[in-house]
Amino acid sequence: MRNTRVLYAPDRRIDSFGDTRFNFRLVTEPMDEVGVCRIRSGWVEASRPRILRPPDLRTLETEGFSAEAARFFEWMQEHGARFQPLFEYGFRFCRSDVAEELVHDSVDEVADRVVRESLSSGDPFRSVVMGVDDAWEVSLLAFVLEMIQKSYEINIFDFRRRGLI
């Protein structure tokens, strides 16, 4: 996670009571190749629970993530006291439609190009993340964590306003 950087953050935040889909581009550099980058693109979605469950059954759900990534979410749930109200509400995170492309250029050039493309796209849900190739899902989760942090205050305000916490 320490080697993950969000190069271009979406204008939108995680909606407190709706579904939010972020269109990500994840730029990584394979450890065993020089002058090559991998661009993964896809969607990561934060969804409100479909059914509000009793407190002892509220968990964070993940779909499309590996078992290793799901374990990270579990760790975050156990150790992330600040985010406990969001976890208790039972958000669901889903990763889908991941495609990847190998590009023969320096990682900095590729990252700059992908950020420029994102800026010109006008997509308020687009993001660009730079991470580690072997642990790319952890880099994607670091992006999700950053979006949770950026959305936290407004989500907590919305939850309190509706009497959910």
Side-chain angles (χ1 to χ4, degrees), residues 50-115:
R50 303 295 182 228
I51 299 173
L52 286 179
R53 296 174 278 187
D56 57 332
L57 295 178
R58 291 182 187 165
T59 60
L60 189 72
E61 294 181 29
T62 58
E63 181 181 314
F65 286 94
S66 68
E68 180 183 356
R71 281 192 299 277
F72 173 76
F73 269 119
E74 289 169 10
W75 177 88
M76 196 170 75
Q77 211 169 334
E78 292 170 12
H79 296 90
R82 178 172 186 233
F83 304 111
Q84 212 51 38
L86 298 177
F87 292 129
E88 287 173 5
Y89 184 64
F91 272 103
R92 178 177 168 262
F93 290 93
C94 176
R95 172 184 66 84
S96 63
D97 301 329
V98 175
E100 58 180 65
E101 165 188 8
L102 280 178
V103 178
H104 295 275
D105 209 342
S106 76
V107 69
D108 293 330
E109 288 293 323
V110 171
D112 287 345
R113 188 167 50 246
V114 173
V115 167

Side-chain angles (χ1 to χ4, degrees), residues 5-11 21-27 40-42 44 114-115 118 121 123-130 140 143-144 147:
R5 292 183 307 157
V6 177
L7 303 178
Y8 182 77
D11 293 335
R21 288 186 74 185
F22 295 109
N23 183 353
F24 71 86
R25 301 290 182 274
L26 183 74
V27 179
R40 289 181 177 88
S41 59
V44 63
V114 173
V115 167
S118 295
S121 76
D123 181 351
F125 296 99
R126 174 81 61 99
S127 64
V128 179
V129 180
M130 183 179 282
L140 186 57
F143 161 71
V144 168
M147 293 312 301

